[in-house]
Amino acid sequence: MTEQHDTMMYPTIEELLGRTDSKFRLVTLGALRACQINSYFGQLGEGLGAMVPPQVLTMSRKPLSIAFEEIAVDKIIAVDPPEVPEEDVLADTLIPTGDADLGGDDLDSADQGEAALDSAS
Protein backbone atom coordinates (compact mmCIF):
# COMPACT_ATOMS: atom_id res chain seq x y z
CA MET A 1 0.00 0.00 0.00
CA THR A 2 1.42 3.38 -1.01
CA GLU A 3 1.14 6.26 1.34
CA GLN A 4 -0.24 9.46 -0.16
CA HIS A 5 1.20 12.71 1.15
CA ASP A 6 -0.57 16.02 1.14
CA THR A 7 0.86 18.39 -1.42
CA MET A 8 0.96 22.14 -1.34
CA MET A 9 -0.56 22.33 -4.78
CA TYR A 10 -4.20 21.73 -5.48
CA PRO A 11 -5.09 20.53 -8.04
CA THR A 12 -2.15 18.23 -8.57
CA ILE A 13 0.01 18.42 -11.68
CA GLU A 14 -0.96 14.87 -12.62
CA GLU A 15 -4.65 15.81 -12.59
CA LEU A 16 -3.98 18.91 -14.70
CA LEU A 17 -1.85 17.01 -17.22
CA GLY A 18 -4.82 14.67 -17.75
CA ARG A 19 -6.87 17.68 -18.93
CA THR A 20 -4.45 18.76 -21.67
CA ASP A 21 -2.51 16.93 -24.35
CA SER A 22 0.93 18.15 -23.21
CA LYS A 23 2.68 19.97 -20.41
CA PHE A 24 3.43 22.84 -22.79
CA ARG A 25 -0.27 23.27 -23.54
CA LEU A 26 -0.98 23.26 -19.79
CA VAL A 27 1.61 25.96 -19.12
CA THR A 28 0.36 28.13 -21.99
CA LEU A 29 -3.30 27.71 -21.09
CA GLY A 30 -2.66 28.42 -17.40
CA ALA A 31 -0.53 31.49 -18.13
CA LEU A 32 -3.02 32.99 -20.59
CA ARG A 33 -5.95 32.48 -18.25
CA ALA A 34 -3.97 33.84 -15.27
CA CYS A 35 -3.29 37.03 -17.27
CA GLN A 36 -7.02 37.35 -18.01
CA ILE A 37 -7.91 36.86 -14.34
CA ASN A 38 -5.30 39.40 -13.29
CA SER A 39 -6.73 41.92 -15.78
CA TYR A 40 -10.22 41.23 -14.48
CA PHE A 41 -9.18 42.00 -10.89
CA GLY A 42 -7.38 45.12 -12.10
CA GLN A 43 -10.53 46.45 -13.80
CA LEU A 44 -13.00 45.68 -11.01
CA GLY A 45 -13.35 49.27 -9.82
CA GLU A 46 -13.66 50.66 -13.34
CA GLY A 47 -16.87 48.79 -14.18
CA LEU A 48 -15.77 47.94 -17.69
CA GLY A 49 -16.90 44.31 -17.59
CA ALA A 50 -14.75 43.33 -20.57
CA MET A 51 -13.02 40.45 -18.79
CA VAL A 52 -14.47 37.10 -17.77
CA PRO A 53 -14.46 36.66 -13.98
CA PRO A 54 -13.07 33.51 -12.32
CA GLN A 55 -15.29 30.53 -13.08
CA VAL A 56 -14.78 28.72 -9.77
CA LEU A 57 -15.37 29.58 -6.13
CA THR A 58 -12.00 29.51 -4.46
CA MET A 59 -10.13 30.75 -1.44
CA SER A 60 -7.01 31.30 -3.52
CA ARG A 61 -5.95 34.84 -4.35
CA LYS A 62 -3.30 34.00 -6.92
CA PRO A 63 -4.40 34.19 -10.57
CA LEU A 64 -2.37 31.13 -11.62
CA SER A 65 -3.87 28.98 -8.85
CA ILE A 66 -7.35 30.11 -9.87
CA ALA A 67 -6.58 29.30 -13.51
CA PHE A 68 -5.37 25.80 -12.57
CA GLU A 69 -8.53 25.20 -10.54
CA GLU A 70 -10.62 26.25 -13.56
CA ILE A 71 -8.70 23.84 -15.78
CA ALA A 72 -9.16 21.01 -13.25
CA VAL A 73 -12.96 21.32 -13.33
CA ASP A 74 -13.08 21.75 -17.14
CA LYS A 75 -14.26 25.36 -17.02
CA ILE A 76 -11.32 26.35 -19.23
CA ILE A 77 -10.27 24.17 -22.14
CA ALA A 78 -7.63 24.59 -24.82
CA VAL A 79 -8.87 25.24 -28.35
CA ASP A 80 -6.64 25.24 -31.41
CA PRO A 81 -6.75 28.46 -33.44
CA PRO A 82 -8.29 28.18 -36.91
CA GLU A 83 -5.85 27.43 -39.68
CA VAL A 84 -5.11 30.30 -42.04
CA PRO A 85 -4.64 29.42 -45.72
CA GLU A 86 -1.08 29.89 -46.96
CA GLU A 87 -2.18 32.49 -49.52
CA ASP A 88 -3.48 34.77 -46.75
CA VAL A 89 -0.24 34.46 -44.77
CA LEU A 90 1.86 35.31 -47.82
CA ALA A 91 -0.35 38.28 -48.74
CA ASP A 92 0.18 39.81 -45.30
CA THR A 93 3.96 39.51 -45.47
CA LEU A 94 4.64 40.94 -48.93
CA ILE A 95 7.28 43.64 -49.14
CA PRO A 96 6.53 46.64 -51.40
CA THR A 97 8.50 46.87 -54.64
CA GLY A 98 10.63 49.81 -55.78
CA ASP A 99 7.52 51.70 -56.97
CA ALA A 100 6.58 52.59 -53.40
CA ASP A 101 7.47 56.03 -52.01
CA LEU A 102 10.08 55.46 -49.34
CA GLY A 103 9.88 59.00 -47.96
CA GLY A 104 13.08 60.36 -49.47
CA ASP A 105 11.57 63.85 -49.67
CA ASP A 106 11.18 63.91 -45.88
CA LEU A 107 14.89 63.39 -45.43
CA ASP A 108 15.73 66.37 -47.64
CA SER A 109 13.39 68.69 -45.74
CA ALA A 110 14.82 67.48 -42.42
CA ASP A 111 18.35 68.24 -43.61
CA GLN A 112 17.26 71.73 -44.72
CA GLY A 113 15.72 72.33 -41.30
CA GLU A 114 18.95 71.46 -39.56
CA ALA A 115 20.87 73.78 -41.91
CA ALA A 116 18.45 76.62 -41.15
CA LEU A 117 18.98 76.08 -37.42
CA ASP A 118 22.74 76.09 -37.83
CA SER A 119 22.74 79.37 -39.80
CA ALA A 120 20.42 81.06 -37.28
CA SER A 121 22.81 80.34 -34.41
Side-chain angles (χ1 to χ4, degrees), residues 22-53:
S22 72
K23 59 185 171 185
F24 303 109
R25 173 68 61 97
L26 174 63
V27 168
T28 303
L29 184 61
L32 288 173
R33 182 59 184 145
C35 285
Q36 292 173 351
I37 292 169
N38 196 29
S39 294
Y40 169 78
F41 286 136
Q43 292 180 354
L44 270 180
E46 298 173 17
L48 298 175
M51 296 291 171
V52 177

PDB file of all heavy atoms in Angstrom, residues 22-53:
ATOM      1  N   SER A  22      -0.503  18.070 -23.501  1.00  0.00           N
ATOM      2  CA  SER A  22       0.932  18.153 -23.211  1.00  0.00           C
ATOM      3  C   SER A  22       1.176  19.149 -22.081  1.00  0.00           C
ATOM      4  O   SER A  22       0.330  19.997 -21.778  1.00  0.00           O
ATOM      5  CB  SER A  22       1.716  18.592 -24.452  1.00  0.00           C
ATOM      6  OG  SER A  22       1.490  19.962 -24.726  1.00  0.00           O
ATOM      7  N   LYS A  23       2.339  19.051 -21.494  1.00  0.00           N
ATOM      8  CA  LYS A  23       2.676  19.973 -20.413  1.00  0.00           C
ATOM      9  C   LYS A  23       2.858  21.388 -20.943  1.00  0.00           C
ATOM     10  O   LYS A  23       2.596  22.360 -20.240  1.00  0.00           O
ATOM     11  CB  LYS A  23       3.910  19.499 -19.658  1.00  0.00           C
ATOM     12  CG  LYS A  23       5.146  19.343 -20.496  1.00  0.00           C
ATOM     13  CD  LYS A  23       6.279  18.744 -19.688  1.00  0.00           C
ATOM     14  CE  LYS A  23       7.437  18.382 -20.594  1.00  0.00           C
ATOM     15  NZ  LYS A  23       8.483  17.694 -19.861  1.00  0.00           N
ATOM     16  N   PHE A  24       3.265  21.522 -22.194  1.00  0.00           N
ATOM     17  CA  PHE A  24       3.433  22.837 -22.790  1.00  0.00           C
ATOM     18  C   PHE A  24       2.075  23.515 -22.985  1.00  0.00           C
ATOM     19  O   PHE A  24       1.928  24.707 -22.765  1.00  0.00           O
ATOM     20  CB  PHE A  24       4.182  22.732 -24.118  1.00  0.00           C
ATOM     21  CG  PHE A  24       5.523  22.075 -23.960  1.00  0.00           C
ATOM     22  CD1 PHE A  24       5.743  20.799 -24.446  1.00  0.00           C
ATOM     23  CD2 PHE A  24       6.554  22.721 -23.300  1.00  0.00           C
ATOM     24  CE1 PHE A  24       6.969  20.186 -24.285  1.00  0.00           C
ATOM     25  CE2 PHE A  24       7.786  22.120 -23.135  1.00  0.00           C
ATOM     26  CZ  PHE A  24       7.998  20.850 -23.638  1.00  0.00           C
ATOM     27  N   ARG A  25       1.084  22.737 -23.389  1.00  0.00           N
ATOM     28  CA  ARG A  25      -0.274  23.267 -23.537  1.00  0.00           C
ATOM     29  C   ARG A  25      -0.816  23.702 -22.181  1.00  0.00           C
ATOM     30  O   ARG A  25      -1.477  24.724 -22.054  1.00  0.00           O
ATOM     31  CB  ARG A  25      -1.162  22.200 -24.185  1.00  0.00           C
ATOM     32  CG  ARG A  25      -2.654  22.493 -24.266  1.00  0.00           C
ATOM     33  CD  ARG A  25      -3.060  23.613 -25.203  1.00  0.00           C
ATOM     34  NE  ARG A  25      -2.743  23.427 -26.574  1.00  0.00           N
ATOM     35  CZ  ARG A  25      -3.569  22.968 -27.511  1.00  0.00           C
ATOM     36  NH1 ARG A  25      -4.776  22.602 -27.207  1.00  0.00           N
ATOM     37  NH2 ARG A  25      -3.184  22.873 -28.756  1.00  0.00           N
ATOM     38  N   LEU A  26      -0.526  22.919 -21.139  1.00  0.00           N
ATOM     39  CA  LEU A  26      -0.979  23.255 -19.794  1.00  0.00           C
ATOM     40  C   LEU A  26      -0.366  24.572 -19.325  1.00  0.00           C
ATOM     41  O   LEU A  26      -1.060  25.446 -18.796  1.00  0.00           O
ATOM     42  CB  LEU A  26      -0.625  22.132 -18.812  1.00  0.00           C
ATOM     43  CG  LEU A  26      -0.917  22.415 -17.340  1.00  0.00           C
ATOM     44  CD1 LEU A  26      -2.405  22.614 -17.111  1.00  0.00           C
ATOM     45  CD2 LEU A  26      -0.386  21.286 -16.476  1.00  0.00           C
ATOM     46  N   VAL A  27       0.925  24.741 -19.536  1.00  0.00           N
ATOM     47  CA  VAL A  27       1.610  25.964 -19.119  1.00  0.00           C
ATOM     48  C   VAL A  27       1.053  27.167 -19.882  1.00  0.00           C
ATOM     49  O   VAL A  27       0.759  28.213 -19.288  1.00  0.00           O
ATOM     50  CB  VAL A  27       3.137  25.839 -19.335  1.00  0.00           C
ATOM     51  CG1 VAL A  27       3.833  27.174 -19.195  1.00  0.00           C
ATOM     52  CG2 VAL A  27       3.714  24.821 -18.380  1.00  0.00           C
ATOM     53  N   THR A  28       0.877  27.032 -21.179  1.00  0.00           N
ATOM     54  CA  THR A  28       0.365  28.130 -21.993  1.00  0.00           C
ATOM     55  C   THR A  28      -1.063  28.490 -21.604  1.00  0.00           C
ATOM     56  O   THR A  28      -1.392  29.663 -21.419  1.00  0.00           O
ATOM     57  CB  THR A  28       0.418  27.754 -23.486  1.00  0.00           C
ATOM     58  OG1 THR A  28       1.759  27.410 -23.828  1.00  0.00           O
ATOM     59  CG2 THR A  28      -0.038  28.900 -24.351  1.00  0.00           C
ATOM     60  N   LEU A  29      -1.903  27.488 -21.451  1.00  0.00           N
ATOM     61  CA  LEU A  29      -3.296  27.707 -21.085  1.00  0.00           C
ATOM     62  C   LEU A  29      -3.400  28.360 -19.708  1.00  0.00           C
ATOM     63  O   LEU A  29      -4.146  29.324 -19.519  1.00  0.00           O
ATOM     64  CB  LEU A  29      -4.056  26.381 -21.112  1.00  0.00           C
ATOM     65  CG  LEU A  29      -5.549  26.421 -20.840  1.00  0.00           C
ATOM     66  CD1 LEU A  29      -6.258  27.263 -21.888  1.00  0.00           C
ATOM     67  CD2 LEU A  29      -6.113  25.007 -20.836  1.00  0.00           C
ATOM     68  N   GLY A  30      -2.639  27.850 -18.746  1.00  0.00           N
ATOM     69  CA  GLY A  30      -2.661  28.417 -17.403  1.00  0.00           C
ATOM     70  C   GLY A  30      -2.165  29.854 -17.381  1.00  0.00           C
ATOM     71  O   GLY A  30      -2.755  30.719 -16.716  1.00  0.00           O
ATOM     72  N   ALA A  31      -1.101  30.137 -18.114  1.00  0.00           N
ATOM     73  CA  ALA A  31      -0.534  31.487 -18.131  1.00  0.00           C
ATOM     74  C   ALA A  31      -1.485  32.482 -18.791  1.00  0.00           C
ATOM     75  O   ALA A  31      -1.682  33.596 -18.286  1.00  0.00           O
ATOM     76  CB  ALA A  31       0.805  31.486 -18.853  1.00  0.00           C
ATOM     77  N   LEU A  32      -2.086  32.093 -19.909  1.00  0.00           N
ATOM     78  CA  LEU A  32      -3.019  32.990 -20.590  1.00  0.00           C
ATOM     79  C   LEU A  32      -4.234  33.293 -19.722  1.00  0.00           C
ATOM     80  O   LEU A  32      -4.664  34.444 -19.605  1.00  0.00           O
ATOM     81  CB  LEU A  32      -3.465  32.386 -21.922  1.00  0.00           C
ATOM     82  CG  LEU A  32      -2.428  32.365 -23.027  1.00  0.00           C
ATOM     83  CD1 LEU A  32      -2.942  31.596 -24.236  1.00  0.00           C
ATOM     84  CD2 LEU A  32      -2.050  33.777 -23.432  1.00  0.00           C
ATOM     85  N   ARG A  33      -4.773  32.262 -19.090  1.00  0.00           N
ATOM     86  CA  ARG A  33      -5.948  32.479 -18.246  1.00  0.00           C
ATOM     87  C   ARG A  33      -5.586  33.292 -17.000  1.00  0.00           C
ATOM     88  O   ARG A  33      -6.361  34.146 -16.565  1.00  0.00           O
ATOM     89  CB  ARG A  33      -6.567  31.135 -17.852  1.00  0.00           C
ATOM     90  CG  ARG A  33      -7.801  31.260 -17.019  1.00  0.00           C
ATOM     91  CD  ARG A  33      -8.904  32.035 -17.723  1.00  0.00           C
ATOM     92  NE  ARG A  33     -10.037  32.203 -16.825  1.00  0.00           N
ATOM     93  CZ  ARG A  33     -10.819  33.276 -16.792  1.00  0.00           C
ATOM     94  NH1 ARG A  33     -10.620  34.258 -17.633  1.00  0.00           N
ATOM     95  NH2 ARG A  33     -11.805  33.348 -15.936  1.00  0.00           N
ATOM     96  N   ALA A  34      -4.401  33.071 -16.433  1.00  0.00           N
ATOM     97  CA  ALA A  34      -3.972  33.844 -15.269  1.00  0.00           C
ATOM     98  C   ALA A  34      -3.850  35.322 -15.628  1.00  0.00           C
ATOM     99  O   ALA A  34      -4.226  36.189 -14.824  1.00  0.00           O
ATOM    100  CB  ALA A  34      -2.646  33.303 -14.730  1.00  0.00           C
ATOM    101  N   CYS A  35      -3.368  35.631 -16.817  1.00  0.00           N
ATOM    102  CA  CYS A  35      -3.290  37.028 -17.267  1.00  0.00           C
ATOM    103  C   CYS A  35      -4.685  37.635 -17.379  1.00  0.00           C
ATOM    104  O   CYS A  35      -4.902  38.788 -17.004  1.00  0.00           O
ATOM    105  CB  CYS A  35      -2.568  37.120 -18.605  1.00  0.00           C
ATOM    106  SG  CYS A  35      -0.794  36.897 -18.480  1.00  0.00           S
ATOM    107  N   GLN A  36      -5.641  36.861 -17.903  1.00  0.00           N
ATOM    108  CA  GLN A  36      -7.015  37.345 -18.008  1.00  0.00           C
ATOM    109  C   GLN A  36      -7.617  37.604 -16.630  1.00  0.00           C
ATOM    110  O   GLN A  36      -8.292  38.611 -16.416  1.00  0.00           O
ATOM    111  CB  GLN A  36      -7.875  36.340 -18.769  1.00  0.00           C
ATOM    112  CG  GLN A  36      -7.531  36.216 -20.223  1.00  0.00           C
ATOM    113  CD  GLN A  36      -8.292  35.077 -20.898  1.00  0.00           C
ATOM    114  OE1 GLN A  36      -8.958  34.277 -20.249  1.00  0.00           O
ATOM    115  NE2 GLN A  36      -8.192  35.014 -22.210  1.00  0.00           N
ATOM    116  N   ILE A  37      -7.382  36.698 -15.706  1.00  0.00           N
ATOM    117  CA  ILE A  37      -7.910  36.855 -14.345  1.00  0.00           C
ATOM    118  C   ILE A  37      -7.281  38.077 -13.676  1.00  0.00           C
ATOM    119  O   ILE A  37      -7.969  38.869 -13.020  1.00  0.00           O
ATOM    120  CB  ILE A  37      -7.670  35.576 -13.516  1.00  0.00           C
ATOM    121  CG1 ILE A  37      -8.538  34.443 -14.067  1.00  0.00           C
ATOM    122  CG2 ILE A  37      -7.956  35.804 -12.038  1.00  0.00           C
ATOM    123  CD1 ILE A  37      -8.207  33.079 -13.504  1.00  0.00           C
ATOM    124  N   ASN A  38      -5.988  38.249 -13.851  1.00  0.00           N
ATOM    125  CA  ASN A  38      -5.296  39.404 -13.287  1.00  0.00           C
ATOM    126  C   ASN A  38      -5.865  40.701 -13.858  1.00  0.00           C
ATOM    127  O   ASN A  38      -6.084  41.673 -13.129  1.00  0.00           O
ATOM    128  CB  ASN A  38      -3.793  39.299 -13.559  1.00  0.00           C
ATOM    129  CG  ASN A  38      -2.996  40.230 -12.697  1.00  0.00           C
ATOM    130  OD1 ASN A  38      -3.387  40.564 -11.591  1.00  0.00           O
ATOM    131  ND2 ASN A  38      -1.847  40.645 -13.211  1.00  0.00           N
ATOM    132  N   SER A  39      -6.132  40.741 -15.153  1.00  0.00           N
ATOM    133  CA  SER A  39      -6.727  41.922 -15.775  1.00  0.00           C
ATOM    134  C   SER A  39      -8.131  42.168 -15.243  1.00  0.00           C
ATOM    135  O   SER A  39      -8.532  43.309 -15.026  1.00  0.00           O
ATOM    136  CB  SER A  39      -6.779  41.755 -17.297  1.00  0.00           C
ATOM    137  OG  SER A  39      -5.493  41.721 -17.825  1.00  0.00           O
ATOM    138  N   TYR A  40      -8.876  41.091 -15.027  1.00  0.00           N
ATOM    139  CA  TYR A  40     -10.222  41.226 -14.476  1.00  0.00           C
ATOM    140  C   TYR A  40     -10.177  41.891 -13.105  1.00  0.00           C
ATOM    141  O   TYR A  40     -10.918  42.836 -12.830  1.00  0.00           O
ATOM    142  CB  TYR A  40     -10.901  39.861 -14.374  1.00  0.00           C
ATOM    143  CG  TYR A  40     -12.185  39.892 -13.583  1.00  0.00           C
ATOM    144  CD1 TYR A  40     -13.352  40.383 -14.155  1.00  0.00           C
ATOM    145  CD2 TYR A  40     -12.226  39.463 -12.260  1.00  0.00           C
ATOM    146  CE1 TYR A  40     -14.527  40.444 -13.424  1.00  0.00           C
ATOM    147  CE2 TYR A  40     -13.396  39.516 -11.527  1.00  0.00           C
ATOM    148  CZ  TYR A  40     -14.548  40.004 -12.115  1.00  0.00           C
ATOM    149  OH  TYR A  40     -15.704  40.069 -11.402  1.00  0.00           O
ATOM    150  N   PHE A  41      -9.295  41.418 -12.224  1.00  0.00           N
ATOM    151  CA  PHE A  41      -9.182  41.999 -10.887  1.00  0.00           C
ATOM    152  C   PHE A  41      -8.701  43.451 -10.958  1.00  0.00           C
ATOM    153  O   PHE A  41      -9.093  44.281 -10.151  1.00  0.00           O
ATOM    154  CB  PHE A  41      -8.258  41.178  -9.994  1.00  0.00           C
ATOM    155  CG  PHE A  41      -8.870  39.881  -9.538  1.00  0.00           C
ATOM    156  CD1 PHE A  41      -8.140  38.712  -9.550  1.00  0.00           C
ATOM    157  CD2 PHE A  41     -10.176  39.823  -9.095  1.00  0.00           C
ATOM    158  CE1 PHE A  41      -8.694  37.514  -9.119  1.00  0.00           C
ATOM    159  CE2 PHE A  41     -10.751  38.638  -8.664  1.00  0.00           C
ATOM    160  CZ  PHE A  41     -10.001  37.477  -8.677  1.00  0.00           C
ATOM    161  N   GLY A  42      -7.876  43.760 -11.931  1.00  0.00           N
ATOM    162  CA  GLY A  42      -7.385  45.120 -12.096  1.00  0.00           C
ATOM    163  C   GLY A  42      -8.460  46.086 -12.554  1.00  0.00           C
ATOM    164  O   GLY A  42      -8.395  47.284 -12.274  1.00  0.00           O
ATOM    165  N   GLN A  43      -9.472  45.591 -13.264  1.00  0.00           N
ATOM    166  CA  GLN A  43     -10.527  46.449 -13.795  1.00  0.00           C
ATOM    167  C   GLN A  43     -11.797  46.442 -12.947  1.00  0.00           C
ATOM    168  O   GLN A  43     -12.787  47.058 -13.325  1.00  0.00           O
ATOM    169  CB  GLN A  43     -10.896  46.001 -15.212  1.00  0.00           C
ATOM    170  CG  GLN A  43      -9.820  46.235 -16.216  1.00  0.00           C
ATOM    171  CD  GLN A  43     -10.236  45.775 -17.604  1.00  0.00           C
ATOM    172  OE1 GLN A  43     -11.296  45.187 -17.788  1.00  0.00           O
ATOM    173  NE2 GLN A  43      -9.408  46.047 -18.586  1.00  0.00           N
ATOM    174  N   LEU A  44     -11.781  45.792 -11.815  1.00  0.00           N
ATOM    175  CA  LEU A  44     -12.996  45.680 -11.006  1.00  0.00           C
ATOM    176  C   LEU A  44     -13.602  47.031 -10.656  1.00  0.00           C
ATOM    177  O   LEU A  44     -14.796  47.222 -10.769  1.00  0.00           O
ATOM    178  CB  LEU A  44     -12.713  44.894  -9.723  1.00  0.00           C
ATOM    179  CG  LEU A  44     -12.910  43.397  -9.806  1.00  0.00           C
ATOM    180  CD1 LEU A  44     -12.596  42.752  -8.471  1.00  0.00           C
ATOM    181  CD2 LEU A  44     -14.295  43.021 -10.256  1.00  0.00           C
ATOM    182  N   GLY A  45     -12.828  47.975 -10.235  1.00  0.00           N
ATOM    183  CA  GLY A  45     -13.350  49.268  -9.822  1.00  0.00           C
ATOM    184  C   GLY A  45     -13.795  50.138 -10.977  1.00  0.00           C
ATOM    185  O   GLY A  45     -14.534  51.094 -10.796  1.00  0.00           O
ATOM    186  N   GLU A  46     -13.349  49.823 -12.194  1.00  0.00           N
ATOM    187  CA  GLU A  46     -13.664  50.660 -13.338  1.00  0.00           C
ATOM    188  C   GLU A  46     -15.021  50.342 -13.948  1.00  0.00           C
ATOM    189  O   GLU A  46     -15.549  51.124 -14.711  1.00  0.00           O
ATOM    190  CB  GLU A  46     -12.563  50.510 -14.398  1.00  0.00           C
ATOM    191  CG  GLU A  46     -11.210  50.961 -13.885  1.00  0.00           C
ATOM    192  CD  GLU A  46     -10.090  50.653 -14.854  1.00  0.00           C
ATOM    193  OE1 GLU A  46     -10.370  50.391 -16.037  1.00  0.00           O
ATOM    194  OE2 GLU A  46      -8.934  50.658 -14.414  1.00  0.00           O
ATOM    195  N   GLY A  47     -15.560  49.157 -13.662  1.00  0.00           N
ATOM    196  CA  GLY A  47     -16.871  48.794 -14.178  1.00  0.00           C
ATOM    197  C   GLY A  47     -16.915  48.522 -15.664  1.00  0.00           C
ATOM    198  O   GLY A  47     -17.960  48.641 -16.281  1.00  0.00           O
ATOM    199  N   LEU A  48     -15.797  48.174 -16.254  1.00  0.00           N
ATOM    200  CA  LEU A  48     -15.772  47.945 -17.695  1.00  0.00           C
ATOM    201  C   LEU A  48     -16.455  46.635 -18.083  1.00  0.00           C
ATOM    202  O   LEU A  48     -17.131  46.576 -19.093  1.00  0.00           O
ATOM    203  CB  LEU A  48     -14.329  47.966 -18.216  1.00  0.00           C
ATOM    204  CG  LEU A  48     -13.594  49.289 -18.023  1.00  0.00           C
ATOM    205  CD1 LEU A  48     -12.148  49.157 -18.474  1.00  0.00           C
ATOM    206  CD2 LEU A  48     -14.287  50.384 -18.794  1.00  0.00           C
ATOM    207  N   GLY A  49     -16.246  45.588 -17.313  1.00  0.00           N
ATOM    208  CA  GLY A  49     -16.900  44.308 -17.591  1.00  0.00           C
ATOM    209  C   GLY A  49     -16.422  43.614 -18.849  1.00  0.00           C
ATOM    210  O   GLY A  49     -17.129  42.779 -19.398  1.00  0.00           O
ATOM    211  N   ALA A  50     -15.242  43.934 -19.337  1.00  0.00           N
ATOM    212  CA  ALA A  50     -14.747  43.326 -20.566  1.00  0.00           C
ATOM    213  C   ALA A  50     -14.104  41.961 -20.325  1.00  0.00           C
ATOM    214  O   ALA A  50     -13.995  41.171 -21.238  1.00  0.00           O
ATOM    215  CB  ALA A  50     -13.736  44.244 -21.238  1.00  0.00           C
ATOM    216  N   MET A  51     -13.696  41.695 -19.103  1.00  0.00           N
ATOM    217  CA  MET A  51     -13.016  40.445 -18.789  1.00  0.00           C
ATOM    218  C   MET A  51     -13.969  39.446 -18.145  1.00  0.00           C
ATOM    219  O   MET A  51     -14.915  39.824 -17.471  1.00  0.00           O
ATOM    220  CB  MET A  51     -11.846  40.699 -17.839  1.00  0.00           C
ATOM    221  CG  MET A  51     -10.767  41.535 -18.423  1.00  0.00           C
ATOM    222  SD  MET A  51      -9.941  40.613 -19.716  1.00  0.00           S
ATOM    223  CE  MET A  51      -8.924  41.865 -20.406  1.00  0.00           C
ATOM    224  N   VAL A  52     -13.670  38.173 -18.349  1.00  0.00           N
ATOM    225  CA  VAL A  52     -14.473  37.103 -17.772  1.00  0.00           C
ATOM    226  C   VAL A  52     -13.989  36.852 -16.347  1.00  0.00           C
ATOM    227  O   VAL A  52     -12.796  36.637 -16.131  1.00  0.00           O
ATOM    228  CB  VAL A  52     -14.352  35.818 -18.616  1.00  0.00           C
ATOM    229  CG1 VAL A  52     -15.113  34.678 -17.986  1.00  0.00           C
ATOM    230  CG2 VAL A  52     -14.828  36.078 -20.033  1.00  0.00           C
ATOM    231  N   PRO A  53     -14.885  36.881 -15.367  1.00  0.00           N
ATOM    232  CA  PRO A  53     -14.463  36.660 -13.984  1.00  0.00           C
ATOM    233  C   PRO A  53     -14.054  35.208 -13.753  1.00  0.00           C
ATOM    234  O   PRO A  53     -14.329  34.337 -14.591  1.00  0.00           O
ATOM    235  CB  PRO A  53     -15.717  37.010 -13.181  1.00  0.00           C
ATOM    236  CG  PRO A  53     -16.838  36.791 -14.113  1.00  0.00           C
ATOM    237  CD  PRO A  53     -16.312  37.111 -15.486  1.00  0.00           C
TER     238      PRO A  53
END
